[in-house]
Amino acid sequence: MPQLSIIIPVFNEVSTLSTVIDSVRSAKLPDIQIVVVDDFSTDGTRELLQGPLGDEIDLVVEHVKNRGKGAALRTGIKAATGDYVVFQDADLEYDPKDLLRMLEILKTGAVDVVYGSRFLNPNIRQISPFWHRVVNRGLTAYSNFYTGLKLTDMETCYKMFPREILQSIELTEDRFGVEPELTAKAAAKGLRFQEIPIEYNRRTFDEGKKIGARDGVRALYVISKYGFVGSDS
């Protein structure tokens, strides 16, 4: 059984996926399982996965239609077999070298969940425009109001859990609403959280970034939904 399963949801990432896989493999992580979920890419990503790159990946799962990041994460979580599970975006924004520190913290048993925070990084002004920081901080503060947590970056991609705990959390959001949903449901279980600062290299919309204004609105709805009606709804 691998020590860490790294779930990479992909949708039209042909220009960056090979570099990301290489970065993960070069991060000196012990005994990993790479799970790539292709969310019906149409730009050549699927062909890349079916070619030589597929030999560098432990498991590739293909969706027969585009379903969204949340749906891809659910597929990956179900397929994961490692003791711990973390999410890795398929672009070049996050540095897999940060995952080793997160894993070492989880293995101590002192906490149940580790989040990698972009906003604990002292170079925050260099990693996102002002409006993006405001939206992220606002959503995180709104989430904290309901969960009672003191997170600085609820929307971060880097969320690491013990596999059995993560697989016990029922997720339903298909798109980016999965971020506040997972945080709310993990908090409702009384899990112990810790954040650490991570590196971050912001990608622009011209470079393929996919999250947009409607996802922010959806995040507000999801936070309110689980705040008002409970984590089991």
Side-chain angles (χ1 to χ4, degrees), residues 73-223:
L73 290 182
R74 288 200 304 273
T75 297
I77 291 168
K78 184 177 180 180
T81 61
D83 295 324
Y84 304 93
V85 178
V86 72
F87 311 135
Q88 170 73 51
D89 279 349
D91 52 31
L92 303 175
E93 290 188 320
Y94 291 82
D95 188 343
K97 292 179 181 178
D98 288 318
L99 298 180
L100 182 58
R101 289 185 297 133
M102 296 174 67
L103 180 61
E104 290 174 344
I105 292 170
L106 264 192
K107 286 169 64 178
T108 67
V111 296
D112 304 304
V113 186
V114 178
Y115 278 21
S117 173
R118 297 163 291 180
F119 298 107
L120 290 177
N121 187 315
N123 297 318
I124 177 59
R125 294 185 181 278
Q126 300 178 17
I127 65 173
S128 60
F130 176 76
W131 70 268
H132 191 265
R133 298 200 305 272
V134 169
V135 170
N136 273 276
R137 290 184 186 275
L139 290 173
T140 296
Y142 190 48
S143 174
N144 287 343
F145 174 77
Y146 287 112
T147 63
L149 299 174
K150 297 180 180 179
L151 299 176
T152 63
D153 194 2
M154 176 271 297
E155 292 280 355
T156 180
C157 166
Y158 272 179
K159 296 175 168 71
M160 188 180 292
F161 289 76
R163 176 179 54 83
E164 291 183 357
I165 289 178
L166 184 57
Q167 290 179 340
S168 74
I169 299 174
E170 183 178 357
L171 299 173
T172 61
E173 287 292 311
D174 284 339
R175 284 180 54 83
F176 294 96
V178 70
E179 309 290 4
E181 179 190 16
L182 177 55
T183 301
K185 291 183 173 180
K189 284 181 170 289
L191 301 182
R192 299 164 297 171
F193 283 70
Q194 181 174 335
E195 285 185 305
I196 67 167
I198 59 171
E199 297 295 326
Y200 182 70
N201 181 28
R202 179 178 63 92
R203 188 168 67 155
T204 67
F205 290 99
D206 289 340
E207 294 171 313
K209 193 171 182 67
K210 299 176 181 66
I211 192 168
R214 70 164 177 154
D215 296 301
V217 174
R218 181 67 186 183
L220 286 172
Y221 167 78
V222 171
I223 294 168

